[in-house]
């Protein structure tokens, strides 16, 4: 989701996104890396923010969400249907209602539901704490290949129709999800360092016990003062292993754009993204009845690509 080193305003006509904004970073130059075990974005070594970190809320990552055999079966079933050309060197298969996001119009159209092979995937999602009550109404499969220059520019997914949680299953090869922010706000960084194999983590409410944070911090007597940096100077790499499931919600959904650089597509990669309905189409919302109709179709799991 990112472009070239100059600043451009790129209007992207993705079927389920808003438009992207000025590109401030050359491809692949993320200066922080997200640690899923601590929830911290940590400054990359040999870069300006090395030794600094900040909490990056709104990301859930589960490795090995499905097995190799399950992955092979899913991809084989996908390849039995046609892949349609999409933007930026990608190919796609859509399972969802017909939507005009600009005019905010929606109808079932030729939508016949999510594919049968997704029924098991959706059932497995129930084991994830952040996906309680998640009912997908749309599925989009995207096929990335390095030979086609596949990528996707920084963008927000639409939030008139789609709800808070964006769920993606990463198949066939690893990649990097790059996060960027256009906000005029500043980010407060905290210094981290190693001392006798210990890592000092930022103080406060977001300190967590995990594999990325060693315990026993007594004896460390000093913490450098926090550092404020403009949000626009920060990009965060979220490494997505093969067969991993990632969920974006909260700030990661609404304040940070997500992208995939061309340089991070090394082999064929398939992204399977599931979206839920927004409050407007859910219980008590203005379009509750239409939402119920779409969910009933979606969760029949009898669909073919539209």
């Amino acid at each position: 989701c990112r472009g070239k080193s100059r600043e451009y305003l790129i209007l992207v006509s993705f079927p389920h996104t808003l438009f992207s904004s000025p590109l401030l970073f050359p491809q692949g130059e993320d200066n922080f890396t997200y640690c899923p075990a601590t929830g911290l974005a940590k400054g990359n070594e040999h870069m300006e923010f090395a030794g600094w970190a900040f909490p990056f809320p709104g990301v859930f990552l589960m490795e090995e969400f499905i097995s190799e055999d399950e992955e092979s079966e899913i991809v084989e079933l996908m390849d039995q249907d046609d892949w349609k050309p999409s933007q930026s060197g990608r190919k796609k298969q859509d399972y969802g209602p017909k939507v005009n996001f600009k005019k905010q119009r929606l109808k079932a159209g030729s939508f016949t539901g999510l594919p049968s092979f997704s029924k098991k995937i959706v059932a497995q999602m129930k084991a994830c704490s952040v996906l309680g009550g998640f009912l997908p109404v749309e599925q989009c499969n995207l096929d990335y290949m390095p030979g086609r220059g596949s990528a996707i520019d920084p963008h927000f997914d639409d939030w008139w129709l789609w709800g808070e949680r964006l769920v993606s299953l990463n198949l066939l090869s690893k990649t990097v999800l790059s996060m960027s922010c256009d906000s005029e706000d500043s980010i407060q960084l905290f210094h981290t360092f190693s001392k006798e194999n210990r890592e000092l983590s930022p103080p406060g409410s977001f300190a967590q016990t995990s594999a990325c944070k060693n315990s026993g911090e007594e004896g460390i007597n000093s913490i450098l003062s926090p550092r404020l940096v403009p949000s626009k100077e920060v990009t965060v790499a979220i490494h997505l292993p093969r067969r991993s499931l990632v969920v974006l919600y909260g700030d990661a959904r609404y304040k940070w754009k997500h992208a995939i650089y061309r340089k991070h597509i090394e082999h064929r990669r398939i992204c399977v993204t599931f979206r839920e309905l927004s409050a407007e189409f859910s219980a008590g919302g203005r379009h509750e009845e239409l939402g119920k109709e779409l969910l009933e179709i979606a969760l029949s799991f009898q669909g073919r690509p539209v």
Side-chain angles (χ1 to χ4, degrees):
C1 300
R2 197 158 275 115
K4 301 177 176 63
S5 56
R6 293 185 180 180
E7 288 192 8
Y8 295 96
L9 181 64
I10 297 181
L11 299 180
V12 181
S13 58
F14 302 130
H16 32 249
T17 65
L18 303 178
F19 56 84
S20 64
S21 57
L23 309 181
L24 303 177
F25 305 96
Q27 277 199 356
E29 295 301 318
D30 297 310
N31 46 28
F32 285 79
T33 297
Y34 177 73
C35 173
T38 61
L40 297 179
K42 299 183 178 183
N44 294 332
E45 292 184 8
H46 312 300
M47 298 188 74
E48 178 187 359
F49 300 116
W52 295 88
F54 68 97
F56 194 82
V59 179
F60 172 85
L61 180 66
M62 176 179 285
E63 297 187 17
E64 300 290 340
F65 182 74
I66 61 172
S67 68
E68 291 185 26
D69 288 343
E70 289 172 325
E71 177 188 50
S72 296
E73 181 182 0
I74 290 169
V75 173
E76 183 179 350
L77 290 169
M78 286 181 182
D79 285 340
Q80 292 177 7
D81 288 313
D82 292 334
W83 289 91
K84 297 180 180 180
S86 186
Q87 298 95 341
S88 302
R90 291 168 287 134
K91 292 185 178 181
K92 66 179 180 179
Q93 294 175 340
D94 281 324
Y95 299 83
K98 186 175 182 179
V99 187
N100 185 321
F101 288 97
K102 186 175 181 179
K103 296 181 179 180
Q104 294 192 344
R105 293 179 181 173
L106 168 69
K107 60 182 179 179
S110 57
F111 179 40
T112 54
L114 304 189
S116 59
F117 63 79
S118 293
K119 187 173 185 178
K120 184 177 179 181
I121 298 173
V122 172
Q124 288 176 211
M125 291 180 188
K126 295 179 181 179
C128 302
S129 59
V130 299
L131 292 177
F134 182 79
L135 298 174
V137 73
E138 191 253 14
Q139 176 179 329
C140 181
N141 305 332
L142 290 175
D143 184 313
Y144 292 72
M145 284 286 285
R148 298 196 301 264
S150 300
I152 188 167
D153 289 321
H155 66 282
F156 293 113
D157 278 35
D158 171 83
W159 49 64
W160 163 68
L161 176 59
W162 308 134
E164 179 174 4
R165 294 167 292 187
L166 305 177
V167 183
S168 292
L169 181 60
N170 186 58
L171 302 179
L172 295 183
S173 62
K174 65 180 181 179
T175 194
V176 176
L177 188 65
S178 296
M179 311 295 291
S180 59
C181 184
D182 295 344
S183 170
E184 297 298 328
D185 296 337
S186 294
I187 294 174
Q188 188 173 52
L189 307 181
F190 296 87
H191 193 70
T192 63
F193 64 91
S194 295
K195 181 179 180 181
E196 298 176 356
N197 296 321
R198 296 169 179 171
E199 181 181 42
L200 178 62
S201 292
S205 60
F206 62 87
Q208 301 178 39
T209 301
S210 67
C212 289
K213 176 189 172 189
N214 294 316
S215 60
E217 293 175 356
E218 63 276 7
I220 299 175
N221 298 316
S222 63
I223 300 176
L224 296 183
S225 298
R227 173 182 177 185
L228 289 178
V229 298
S231 297
K232 294 180 180 180
E233 294 182 9
V234 172
T235 56
V236 179
I238 301 175
H239 289 265
L240 303 182
R242 182 175 177 175
R243 297 188 304 279
S244 63
L245 185 84
V246 65
V247 183
L248 301 182
Y249 60 97
D251 284 358
R253 163 78 163 102
Y254 296 116
K255 292 186 179 180
W256 292 79
K257 293 181 172 69
H258 55 277
I260 300 285
Y261 294 134
R262 287 175 176 82
K263 70 174 292 181
H264 292 140
I265 301 298
E266 301 174 357
H267 307 283
R268 186 187 185 193
R269 178 226 176 200
I270 292 177
C271 174
V272 185
T273 296
F274 299 91
R275 297 177 175 87
E276 64 184 342
L277 290 169
S278 68
E280 189 167 340
F281 293 85
S282 301
R286 187 158 59 107
H287 300 298
E288 176 182 357
E289 291 305 313
L290 177 56
K292 286 181 179 178
E293 177 189 352
L294 294 174
L295 273 176
E296 184 176 352
I297 296 172
L299 300 180
S300 70
F301 294 102
Q302 299 177 359
R304 299 294 301 274
V306 296

